[in-house]
Amino acid sequence: MLNENTNEEIIDELKKIVKQKGLKYTEQREIVLSILLHAKEHLTAEEVYNEIKKRYSDSNIGIATVYRALSFLEEVDLIASITFGTDGKKYETNSKSHHDHLICTSCGKIIEFMDDEIEKRQDKIAKKNKFKISSHSMQLYGICEACQE
C-alpha cells in the first residue's frame, strides 16, 4: 500500500511499474489513475469514464480502455476495489492510510473509518493463531442513516 504519497510520487510509481513489467507507458493509465487520485469518493468505472470525458474532453479514451486500465492498476496494487455483486465495483487509490468501510446496501454509499481497537483485536487474533497478517480489508454492509428514514 502506498501510504500518504503525493500524487506525483504515485504517478512516478506507475511509470516505474510499467517499465519493470516491460510494458509501454500509456497516458490513458495515467489519466485513469489521476481521476482516482483526485476523487473525493469511490468511483465506478463508468464514473471514471464520465470524469475523463469532463476533464479531458480532447482525449478519446473509451470505456473499454478505462476497464483495462482499472484492472491493470488494481493488479499492480495502485488502486483497490470494493465489489457490489451484480452492481460491479467501486475504486479508490491505495494512497490513503489504512481504513475500513461501511457500505450501504441500499444506496451504495461508502463511509471510510479507522478504529484502533479493531486493529489491535485483529493483531491479537492473528498472534493467538500464529498467523502473520500481510494485509486486510474490512467491509461492513448495512443501511446508512439516510436510507433508514
Side-chain angles (χ1 to χ4, degrees):
M1 177 139 81
L2 305 167
N3 288 325
E4 304 297 333
N5 288 328
T6 67
N7 292 354
E8 189 176 300
E9 289 172 329
I10 295 166
I11 297 295
D12 287 344
E13 181 70 13
L14 171 61
K15 291 176 181 176
K16 188 174 103 185
I17 289 168
V18 169
K19 186 176 181 179
Q20 285 172 346
K21 290 186 166 288
L23 300 171
K24 181 181 171 192
Y25 186 80
T26 65
E27 185 183 32
Q28 289 92 335
R29 287 183 187 130
E30 182 176 331
I31 289 172
V32 170
L33 181 56
S34 179
I35 293 293
L36 289 171
L37 286 168
H38 294 96
K40 301 279 187 250
E41 58 191 7
H42 302 74
L43 301 177
T44 65
E46 291 79 11
E47 290 167 335
V48 170
Y49 175 69
N50 290 335
E51 280 298 310
I52 290 170
K53 285 181 9 184
K54 219 185 306 181
R55 292 192 208 170
Y56 301 89
S57 56
D58 57 338
S59 167
N60 65 349
I61 298 174
I63 188 71
T65 301
V66 171
Y67 276 104
R68 283 192 302 273
L70 289 169
S71 178
F72 174 80
L73 294 169
E74 188 171 19
E75 179 187 315
V76 298
D77 207 28
L78 289 175
I79 66 171
S81 67
I82 296 173
T83 303
F84 285 85
T86 58
D87 294 333
K89 293 180 172 184
K90 288 192 176 186
Y91 298 88
E92 67 177 331
T93 66
N94 283 338
S95 62
K96 301 182 215 170
S97 60
H98 172 75
H99 60 274
D100 297 307
H101 298 99
L102 297 169
I103 303 166
C104 180
T105 55
S106 181
C107 69
K109 179 178 181 177
I110 300 171
I111 301 167
E112 296 178 352
F113 73 94
M114 172 59 186
D115 185 294
D116 288 333
E117 289 302 312
I118 290 173
E119 298 302 315
K120 288 176 190 170
R121 186 82 180 123
Q122 290 169 341
D123 290 339
K124 187 176 178 181
I125 291 167
K127 187 175 182 179
K128 178 182 173 186
N129 289 284
K130 298 181 171 90
F131 189 84
K132 184 178 177 185
I133 298 173
S134 57
S135 70
H136 83 275
S137 170
M138 180 185 292
Q139 300 172 3
L140 304 173
Y141 296 88
I143 307 295
C144 72
E145 183 178 24
C147 291
Q148 290 176 41
E149 295 173 354

